[in-house]
Amino acid sequence: MSLEELHLNLRNLTSDDYGQLKSLMDAVYHDIGGAWPKHTIDKLIQEFPDGQIAIEDDGVLVGVALTVQVDYDEFSNPHKYDDLIGHREIILNDQEGDAMYGLDVLIHPDYRGYRLGRRLYEARKELCRSLNLRAILAGGRIPEYHQHASELTPAQYIDKVSRKEIYDPILSFQLANDFQVKRLLRKYLPEDEQSRGYATLLEWNNILFEPAESVLDTRPTQVRVGAVQWQMREFASVEAALQQIEYFVDALSDYQSDFAVFPELFTTPLMGLQDRAAQKDQTAAIRFLAGFTDRFKSELSRMAVSYNINIIGGSMIEVGEDDRLYNVAYLFHRDGEVEKQLKLHITPQERRDWVIEGGDNLQVFDTDAGRVGILICYDVEFPELGRLLADQDMDILFVPFWVDTKNGYLRVRHCAQARAIENECYVVICGSVGNLPSIENLDIQYAQSAVFTPSDFAFPHDAVLAETTPNTEMIFFSDLDLTRLTVVRAEGSVTNLKDRRKDLFDLRWRDWSWKSGSKQED
């Protein structure tokens, strides 16, 4: 039969199909009893119509998948095929079940080689997702096992099939369709002499499943990020700077953004409120700037609540309890909570001119729009930090930055793109632009803010979701689909997080406690 002669149609099975279904089942299952009686099929169609899927070619039934709803906890444990069958060969469908159970997949012998089985499996997966069911389970026969039973145990046979050293028409097919062997079932179908009564319990896990009792607590699937490519400008007063910030927060809120993002050290033009001579003492000037931080924290927190938007407050200089200076990014939640992330790696210029110290803590922040991490500029150039955040289920990494030249910008950009790919997350970089020759150490800035994604089919071909015009003050928006992250982490072309060789290497955070002037490892 040529491909040109095929006229395939995927649809649900009906009771009128029974005559053709019986012929198909008798031909395929001649060694284990043949077809189910009509009243069994009719009852299954009545109780779970969406789960009975057929493929026809010009009205002729050529493929069928029969499915039942079950309780996951019961059927993910050892069981027998007869546990699915009640009185008078009625299949026991549990309409309150939280999983699907694959009973049969049959393909007409003349239509094998057209991947119709894969088409039926994909239809089952889509149904499982649409019904928000936990998984698809299946008891899989191993019909070629009888040829190897004298020299291999069932477990050894399964292992060799999984390594493709032996081909089994059922198990090999199921493994190729992303099913995982959960356990070996004994006496599953005693009359199945080819499998010697053994079967595999297979599972396809619905990674998008959300338990009904936690619907109100589920993470969002769509998040809108708005960012400000900030023009460094002279301000006549603190009030003028806050007015400019609030203008942008208001604009981003009008577009229903979940986040407003500002660049690193975006308040530094306030050093210009000193005269030029006072600015010559850089350590004094940066401490002068730190004196405004508490007020900015208070005002940005107010804006987050008033405009109903989470604000990544770029970063500001803070005087710590030890009277040392730190570069700190603040997360202002729209419910009023304020959290912070200190810059961990300090650049030579920050250390030399401003005597900035590095922080010693790293965390992922829970927000009402996903789990987020913050790495300030230079920190994104250290891949260990992004990986530690990814290990805490981070969805979005925010990178407020401030650089003067394009080569400095490209270091941040390329490293941020690498973090998005290797950690399968979104990365938002946000920088400042403009020239301030009248203020020491603020001569020039370069930025092209952007949103980066993993590099896979579900994302833009260049893994860049949005980017600004270089060196121009502007705001930009991007809608992030967190469901795509879930899918790429489990089913992507490559799965970087899952495929790490933890048998060869690992990564951990050293949590130091300061006691009596010495470091002690917890």
Side-chain angles (χ1 to χ4, degrees), residues 137 205 234 260 297 321 342 366 382 425 461 465 518:
L137 300 169
N205 181 42
E234 293 188 51
K297 285 170 59 180
E321 293 179 359
L342 277 65
D366 271 312
F382 297 84
C425 65
H461 72 94
L465 195 58
S518 63

Side-chain angles (χ1 to χ4, degrees), residues 228-232 261-267 312-316 399-402 430-433 449:
V228 181
Q229 186 158 283
W230 174 262
Q231 172 82 39
M232 289 287 199
V261 189
F262 288 89
E264 178 186 20
L265 297 177
F266 70 118
T267 63
I312 307 295
S315 76
M316 292 176 266
V399 183
F401 71 92
W402 174 28
C430 181
S432 55
V433 301
S449 304

Side-chain angles (χ1 to χ4, degrees), residues 62-76:
V62 298
V64 174
L66 302 178
T67 314
V68 66
Q69 281 181 271
V70 297
D71 177 77
Y72 177 85
D73 289 338
E74 179 180 355
F75 284 92
S76 60

